[in-house]
Structures are given as C-alpha cells and as structure tokens.
Amino acid sequence: MARLEERVKNYYQTHSLTLAQIQVIQKAAKPRPYLRLWNNNLLKYAAVILVSLNIFYGLYTFIYEPNTLAEKFAHEIALNYKKGEPVVIESGNIQTLRAGLDKLNFELTLPPSITDNFKLIGGKYCSVDNRIAAQIKLEDENGSEITCYVFKKEEAINFKESIVKEQVKVKLWDDGQRIFGLAVAKK
Amino acid sequence: MADSKGIENLLNRGYRYALALTHNKDDAYDLVYSCYLSLREKNKPLVITYLLKTIKNKFIDQKRQLATQSKWQQEVNQPEPYKSKITVEPLLERLLNELPTRNREIMFLSIVEEYTSQEIAELMDMPKGTILSILSRTKKKLQLRLQE
C-alpha cells in the first residue's frame, strides 16, 4: 500500500504550473498602485471631503449666506433711503396704496408692529436686489420719518437682524411671504 | 503576505488539487487562476486551506452550471479527456481518471496533502467514517488494478 501512496504522490507532484503560468496569475492578482490607493484610502478621504463639503455648504447656506443676503438688502435699502425720493402715492390708507402699487408681485400689507406705531404717509415703487418693492413712508409719534421697504421673499432662510449701512440703520425681518426693511438714519 | 516562493508553492498545491478534481490540466489552471484572484480581491489569507476551499466551491458551482445546460451545450462543453505528457505512470493516470471525482479528491487530500481523515471530513463536509471507508476502498481497488 505504501508503494501505491508513493506512486500517487509522485504522480501529482510531477504536475506543476509553468513559470509563465505563475507569472500570469501573479500579475493578474497584483493591484495597480492607484487601485490599491483607491481601495485602501482614497474612498475614505473622498468620504471625509464629501462630508466636510456638505457641512460647509450647510453652514454657508444657513449662516453665511443669510448674512450676505441681509447685508446686500440692507445696503441697497440704505442707498435708496439716502436718495430721499418723495412718495408718488400720498395716502394714509393701505388699501389705497395697494391699489396704486398694483404692479407689485405680492400683496402689500404692513405688520402690526408698523401700523401700531407709525402713521402711513404714502408710497412708491422701488427695487431691492432687482425685485420690485414698495417704499412706504411712515411717521412716528414725534413726526420723525421712517421708511419701510417691502418686497417678495424668495428665500427659504429667515431674516431677523439690524444692520447699519451707509449711516442708515436697517431692520430686516420677514413674515414668510414678504421681507420688510425698516430704514432710519443712524444718529 | 507570503513571499514569491511561498506563493509559487501555494499555487502549485492549489493546481494539483484542482487537477485531482477536474483531471483536466486546462480546467485545473482556470480554477486555480480564478480562485487565487478571488482570494486576493477579497483580502482573504493566502493559505492553503482557504485556497482549497475556494477551489472546491468553484468546482461545485461549475458542475452545477454544467448540469443546467441543455444537452447539446453539454456535448460542446464536455472537456477532452486528460492526456498527460508525462508518461511515467500511464496506467495510474488512467485508473485515477476512472475514479469518481469524490474518491480521487479524498485520495489526493490524504496522500498528497497529507490531511487527516478528520480534516478531509471537515473540508468535504462528510462524516469521518465515510471518508475512511471511501479511502480504504479506493486504495484497495487501485492496488489491485495496478498489480494486474
């Protein structure tokens, strides 16, 4: 029986892959350097970069961008305010103003925080950030003039801040559909 | 990772096992080629046990696929009988070719790879007693035929 086992063993051990066959197999199995990098690390780096970009974009969208937009709105409002142009429609009635400024792409309304504290003088068209806007002139109890700019809100972000531009204090806020900018000269 | 000599040895052992299964040099080469690549791609350890298991599984899959082919496809794909260029053992070669694949495999693992019957049983998922029985019968049969 030992003889049989020896013969069987020798039989199989005489069969080997040629050197060329071994080289072909090894070459096929060898990963290319960039593939090795891809498999080992690049995916991880790419994932980290993607996550970072998403975080950055999120921060930009929700923190930086609103600030830049608000700054932009405030700057335009301040420049417009400083022009001191007179109203075109003189009226203390918001419905009259609404009817007169019928080209606005939003319904002209004023929040209670305005109507409760200021008297309506009149209004005119203007523009903020290339959006058609209403420039409403108001007067406080002391007779001091204040101007409210109203234009359509097109952003998902909310506005609620006071910014000083060009020596003009601009208070910005929105009601979901409209953005309001209350401008008064900074003392 | 094993050095190049170690890899060469591993590949040859895998090749001989594949040859024991297929009794066809080309099929054996294809088996060891694809299975070695598979181990490398999956970052599996480059050890003989993994390679042999992979070769065995692939061989079984191929047999199943062959069984599902239509009759004419089987005729076309039927491998040519193995004809070794090494003629030192033509009778042994013929007798090994006549053995059922399972018997030949057990013989190979026991005699060439020097696996214990327990190890063979685990690799082939068969009872140890069955392995011992098949091995014993196969050796006796071959011995008788070689003495004729």
Side-chain angles (χ1 to χ4, degrees):
Chain A
M1 196 72 79
R3 176 111 173 96
L4 167 68
E5 289 175 352
E6 193 183 316
R7 288 172 74 174
V8 170
K9 195 168 190 173
N10 286 340
Y11 170 81
Y12 277 107
Q13 287 182 338
T14 54
H15 290 81
S16 298
L17 292 165
T18 64
L19 187 61
Q21 285 176 320
I22 290 172
Q23 286 174 343
V24 165
I25 293 172
Q26 287 186 304
K27 191 178 178 185
K30 195 174 180 182
R32 281 166 284 181
Y34 79 87
L35 272 179
R36 189 186 297 128
L37 183 63
W38 174 261
N39 288 334
N40 290 342
N41 290 318
L42 199 57
L43 270 178
K44 295 174 196 171
Y45 294 148
V48 168
I49 289 168
L50 271 173
V51 168
S52 303
L53 280 173
N54 274 327
I55 292 170
F56 175 76
Y57 179 72
L59 287 170
Y60 177 84
T61 305
F62 291 105
I63 297 173
Y64 179 69
E65 199 175 60
N67 287 343
T68 57
L69 264 179
E71 297 262 339
K72 190 178 174 186
F73 292 156
H75 190 240
E76 273 201 55
I77 288 169
L79 289 176
N80 199 298
Y81 177 85
K82 284 176 78 173
K83 285 180 187 172
E85 289 178 350
V87 298
V88 171
I89 302 167
E90 284 189 27
S91 175
N93 188 294
I94 191 67
Q95 281 90 357
T96 306
L97 272 183
R98 198 180 289 142
L101 301 174
D102 60 353
K103 290 184 177 54
L104 294 173
N105 59 355
F106 57 92
E107 188 184 343
L108 180 61
T109 60
L110 290 173
S113 57
I114 298 286
T115 55
D116 289 349
N117 297 297
F118 300 98
K119 179 184 164 186
L120 189 61
I121 304 293
K124 68 184 283 289
Y125 287 116
C126 71
S127 78
V128 178
D129 191 36
N130 287 323
R131 301 178 210 185
I132 188 165
Q135 182 181 330
I136 311 294
K137 208 150 257 184
L138 304 153
E139 193 180 83
D140 68 9
E141 58 188 13
N142 298 321
S144 300
E145 275 192 3
I146 195 165
T147 307
C148 184
Y149 297 81
V150 190
F151 52 98
K152 188 178 177 185
K153 184 181 176 185
E154 293 173 1
E155 295 78 16
I157 50 180
N158 296 325
F159 295 91
K160 190 179 179 184
E161 50 206 300
S162 288
I163 300 169
V164 175
K165 289 282 181 187
E166 306 286 333
Q167 306 285 314
V168 176
K169 185 176 175 182
V170 179
K171 185 179 173 185
L172 278 173
W173 75 98
D174 71 87
D175 66 356
Q177 293 173 43
R178 293 156 282 257
I179 298 174
F180 299 91
L182 201 62
V184 66
K186 188 174 184 297
K187 291 170 185 171
Chain B
M1 189 174 291
D3 58 22
S4 61
K5 218 46 181 156
I7 296 293
E8 193 177 318
N9 183 45
L10 181 76
L11 287 172
N12 274 319
R13 287 174 71 181
Y15 172 68
R16 288 167 196 143
Y17 177 62
L19 193 61
L21 291 175
T22 62
H23 213 67
N24 180 288
K25 283 173 65 181
D26 293 334
D27 289 350
Y29 173 72
D30 289 343
L31 261 181
V32 75
Y33 179 103
S34 60
C35 292
Y36 179 73
L37 253 66
S38 174
L39 286 183
R40 289 293 299 268
E41 282 166 11
K42 293 174 185 173
N43 283 321
K44 295 286 186 185
L46 296 177
V47 294
I48 191 64
T49 44
Y50 270 105
L51 183 59
L52 295 191
K53 276 184 185 168
T54 309
I55 289 171
K56 178 68 184 289
N57 290 337
K58 181 102 181 166
F59 173 71
I60 291 170
D61 285 344
Q62 285 176 347
K63 279 189 81 175
R64 282 193 188 130
Q65 279 180 8
L66 198 68
T68 61
Q69 288 176 347
S70 63
K71 202 175 177 186
W72 72 266
Q73 281 176 316
Q74 287 183 27
E75 284 173 8
V76 168
N77 292 328
Q78 187 67 33
E80 290 178 15
Y82 168 65
K83 284 180 183 169
S84 173
K85 290 180 183 174
I86 301 161
T87 56
V88 288
E89 291 275 17
L91 177 58
L92 178 62
E93 183 177 282
R94 185 169 58 81
L95 291 175
L96 287 171
N97 190 35
E98 290 171 1
L99 287 175
T101 304
R102 187 181 66 174
N103 295 39
R104 194 167 56 235
E105 182 186 357
I106 292 170
M107 278 267 299
F108 175 87
L109 290 171
S110 173
I111 294 172
V112 182
E113 285 293 325
E114 296 178 0
Y115 273 38
T116 64
S117 51
Q118 182 62 41
E119 288 169 336
I120 297 172
E122 285 170 15
L123 179 68
M124 296 183 69
D125 196 25
M126 289 171 65
K128 182 183 169 183
T130 308
I131 299 294
L132 286 169
S133 171
I134 292 173
L135 188 60
S136 173
R137 278 190 281 113
T138 306
K139 282 182 180 178
K140 279 182 186 168
K141 185 179 175 182
L142 278 178
Q143 192 69 41
L144 277 171
R145 296 292 301 276
L146 284 170
Q147 286 172 353
E148 287 174 2

